[in-house]
Structure formats: C-alpha cells, structure tokens
Amino acid sequence: MATRHNWTKEEILEIYNKPLMELLYEAATVHRKNHDPNTVQVSTLLSIKTGGCPEDCGYCPQAARYHTNVEGNDLMSVNQVKAQALRAKESGSSRVCMGAAWRNVKDGEEFDSVLEMVRTINKLDMEVCCTLGMITENQAQRLAEAGLYAYNHNLDSSEEYYKEVISTRGYQDRLDTIGNVRKTNVTVCSGGIIGMGESVDDRAGMLVALSTLSPQPESVPINALVPVEGTPMEEQEPVSIWEMVRMVATARIVMPETQVRLSAGRTQMSREGQAMCFFAGANSIFAGDKLLTTPNPDVNEDMELFKSLGLNPQKAFEKKEQPKSVSAEESKYQNLGEKPKWSRPGHTIERNVEAQQKSKAKA
Ligand code: SF4
C-alpha cells in the first residue's frame, strides 16, 4: 500500500483506540512489510552545548529561566566531539546526534565549529544528525554540504497543545525549519513527547501534522516525558507503557516507511515494555547513559536486551547513501550573517510563569 499523506485525526484516533491486540497485529504487519523486524538503528545523543537556553519549553531542564540541576556548558570542541563519536561507534552506534540548547542557529564562529564537527563525524563513516533549533535555508544548505545526514526538529505535540507548552516560538516556525531542511539532501527527524498533560486528541493531532508532511519524516522520535524538578512539568504523572505502545503502533501504521524512534523515557520502561514497542514497530533507539540531560539505559543493558530479543544494530547508511563532506574552503554556501525573525507569540502559560517565579525565589 502506498504511503498516505492525507490521514485525518478521526482515522488516527480510530487506530489509536483499537483493541490492543488488533492494534499490535496491524502495526507489526505494516512493520514487516516495510522494514526488517530484527534490525534496530542505534543513535548516540551528544549534548554539545548544554543549558542556558532562552526558550521556555515547559518540559526542558535546559531552559535558563527554570531552576534545575542541569549544569550549563559552552560549545564543545571538535576534538572532544570526535572522541565521543569514536566511543559511540565502538559501542555499536551508527549515528551521532549533536544537540545544542539554542533557540536558532546564528551564523558565526560557533556554527562554523558545528560544521567542522559534522565533517569530522561524517569522515568516521557515521551518520551525523544535529538538533540546533530553528535554521534558515542557507544554514540547512551549509549543514548539508558539510555532510549532515539528518536534522532533528520536533513538533513536540499538536498545534493546539503546543501553545500550552511553549510561548517563545510558534508551531509554524517548526514547520518552516523542517521545510528548509527539506530543500536539501538532509533527512528529517521530527517527533514529539507524550505525557505533558495533552489529550489523546492532541497525540492524534501531532501524528496528523507529521504524517501529512510530504515526504514524511525519515525518523520520528516518540518520547515519554521525564519530569524534571524545577521545570513546569515536574509533577506530571508518567505515561503508562500502554500509551507508549499505542503511540508507537499508530505512528508505525500511519508512517510505514519511517524509522520510529524510542526516545526519552526508556528508563521508566521494563525490558518487556520495550520489547513490545519493538514489536509495535519501533526500530530505532537512542543509546548512552544520558539523553542530553535526562537518564537513559546503559549501553551494555541495551546490547543485552538486543541479544535476548535477537535484534541487530542497523549499519550506517543502510537506508540512504553517505553524503559527501565539502571542506570549508570549497563551500558554495557562505556565511550570510542572516538575522531571521522567528516568531515570539509571548502568550502566558501559567505553569511556565509559576516555575519561573519559583526559580527566581530560589536564586
Ligand atoms: S527544548 Fe530546546 S529550545 Fe526548548 S528550552 Fe530546551 S534546549 Fe531550549
């Protein structure tokens, strides 16, 4: 069956709410038709610049305005990144995803450094992904030229619920950045978080937004919120494994060719729960003991789980060929010194304001 780009919320809700055994069977069938069910892609997430972010994302301990235990760091050096990438490769990762706590990319020295990191990791024959906030078309082209394989930019939730989570940027900014990445050869990684207090309708709304993109994202991370003390969402109840399995299975059915990525929240899941997610169509994970700033299962634990389930890590560039890295000197796209105007809706989100006030009181 050809991939559909016209899923409606009603159709997606109908899938999400099916009796679980039927949902699992359907998702596993779609999965087998489109992927090897015994192969799982493994990425290592590396925080190359931690904390001090000006945004107000209600789930994020890296937002400067909340008082959390996250220690901020300046941008890592290219050599530090290379050393970490080599470690990740030795432990079975085929992809390194570099995250920087920025609102958007700014042309200049730091971005030039990130471009060098991309070239360096690509030369290690690993897939390189970046998550750096909003980017312009020229910045996306420069990343592509450096050899970037994927760009991550999550939609987080439905357009309606996004307004309850973040007030410092709009949903359209997210879609525009994804559109800028799509103008290049770089693949798109975009997903969201469940457990932020959103309704099942919102979850379906997010899947509509993702599945109606054409082409659909090559990678869709499904995160379960890890509530962090000091953030506005510190008291959210963890989502149940059934909700996670339903979300993974529904994503698999509506986006058959996508790699559905089990992301944050894996430490709260049993091995059996994770196995059920793989059966439901999840076929990529983040490895390493930290996911940017929140805990993640140990690499050895993951490899043991893979062994007991008979799963194999996917080799690099199995889905798409390795991009070439153009050197900085030969680059066709130059630093334009752009100052794009990304939106700032600035509406009030009560729980974000409260968390900020508590943080000020602690300071
Ligand atoms: S999620 Fe990203 S943009 Fe939002 S506060 Fe955290 S680091 Fe900043």
Side-chain angles (χ1 to χ4, degrees):
M1 202 173 78
T3 300
R4 279 182 53 190
H5 298 276
N6 58 353
W7 290 99
T8 64
K9 200 201 271 187
E10 292 65 37
E11 285 174 311
I12 291 182
L13 281 172
E14 204 179 303
I15 298 172
Y16 183 98
N17 289 318
K18 275 185 187 214
L20 190 68
M21 297 308 136
E22 267 181 54
L23 175 59
L24 277 176
Y25 180 73
E26 197 181 317
T29 308
V30 171
H31 188 46
R32 275 156 192 277
K33 278 194 189 140
N34 293 280
H35 304 268
D36 172 356
N38 298 319
T39 300
V40 172
Q41 195 272 328
V42 184
S43 290
T44 292
L45 193 49
L46 194 59
S47 186
I48 57 169
K49 190 265 163 193
T50 310
C53 182
E55 302 292 275
D56 77 335
C57 308
Y59 50 81
C60 183
Q62 300 199 66
R65 65 188 72 204
Y66 310 132
H67 191 274
T68 65
N69 288 332
V70 168
E71 273 184 41
N73 284 109
D74 291 341
L75 188 67
M76 281 167 86
S77 69
V78 177
N79 279 343
Q80 280 172 313
V81 167
K82 185 176 180 183
Q84 300 261 21
L86 282 169
R87 262 185 48 199
K89 190 175 182 181
E90 270 164 32
S91 53
S93 278
S94 59
R95 181 182 295 189
V96 173
C97 180
M98 298 187 281
W102 289 330
R103 167 176 166 81
N104 60 286
V105 168
K106 295 194 181 105
D107 290 340
E109 252 177 52
E110 290 199 321
F111 185 43
D112 291 346
S113 230
V114 173
L115 294 171
E116 203 45 46
M117 292 172 195
V118 172
R119 290 186 195 100
T120 306
I121 304 175
N122 191 39
K123 282 185 196 138
L124 300 177
D125 295 327
M126 298 181 83
E127 296 171 8
V128 197
C129 173
C130 278
T131 181
L132 313 169
M134 283 135 358
I135 55 171
T136 63
E137 186 184 339
N138 181 261
Q139 290 164 342
Q141 293 289 9
R142 293 180 75 197
L143 284 163
E145 235 194 0
L148 191 74
Y149 185 88
Y151 194 82
N152 165 271
H153 201 59
N154 289 333
L155 290 183
D156 289 344
S157 191
S158 66
E159 182 163 9
E160 296 74 29
Y161 199 69
Y162 196 77
K163 298 186 184 85
E164 306 290 322
V165 179
I166 297 146
S167 74
T168 51
R169 54 171 189 250
Y171 209 67
Q172 192 55 46
D173 295 330
R174 311 301 281 173
L175 293 167
D176 290 348
T177 287
I178 292 172
N180 288 338
V181 175
R182 270 291 172 230
K183 290 176 191 150
T184 72
N185 221 0
V186 174
T187 62
V188 169
C189 173
S190 182
I193 308 173
I194 63 169
M196 300 190 291
E198 76 289 340
S199 64
V200 170
D201 251 48
D202 290 314
R203 292 176 191 171
M206 178 180 91
L207 291 178
V208 170
L210 291 168
S211 64
T212 53
L213 291 172
S214 185
Q216 293 177 340
E218 285 81 357
S219 158
V220 168
I222 305 287
N223 295 278
L225 177 76
V226 179
V228 178
E229 204 183 324
T231 63
M233 296 190 184
E234 64 182 1
E235 281 171 14
Q236 281 296 324
E237 286 294 313
V239 289
S240 75
I241 186 66
W242 311 122
E243 290 170 281
M244 197 63 188
V245 170
R246 283 186 182 281
M247 196 63 190
V248 166
T250 310
R252 165 51 64 234
I253 293 167
V254 301
M255 293 176 279
E257 290 163 85
T258 292
Q259 295 218 264
V260 178
R261 189 175 296 276
L262 267 193
S263 302
R266 273 203 307 128
T267 41
Q268 299 152 9
M269 287 184 211
S270 66
R271 290 155 59 89
E272 294 79 1
Q274 291 182 57
M276 207 183 289
C277 288
F278 292 133
F279 185 71
N283 60 348
S284 55
I285 58 164
F286 278 117
D289 56 358
K290 277 228 170 127
L291 272 193
L292 293 179
T293 57
T294 53
N296 199 42
D298 188 76
V299 182
N300 293 335
E301 264 176 52
D302 284 335
M303 288 308 133
E304 270 173 35
L305 179 62
F306 273 31
K307 207 167 157 205
S308 33
L309 301 179
L311 296 174
N312 305 305
Q314 183 180 301
K315 295 197 178 66
F317 311 111
E318 214 168 275
K319 298 273 178 187
K320 192 171 187 268
E321 69 176 28
Q322 182 169 12
K324 292 207 169 51
S325 287
V326 175
S327 70
E329 297 71 39
E330 285 166 12
S331 170
K332 210 167 72 188
Y333 297 91
Q334 301 304 323
N335 172 348
L336 298 179
E338 291 179 283
K339 294 205 168 50
K341 286 211 165 28
W342 300 101
S343 77
R344 276 188 199 278
H347 54 277
T348 304
I349 303 174
E350 283 307 329
R351 61 182 170 182
N352 290 12
V353 174
E354 270 171 39
Q356 195 175 345
Q357 281 165 351
K358 266 202 231 165
S359 162
K360 271 194 192 144
K362 271 189 194 164

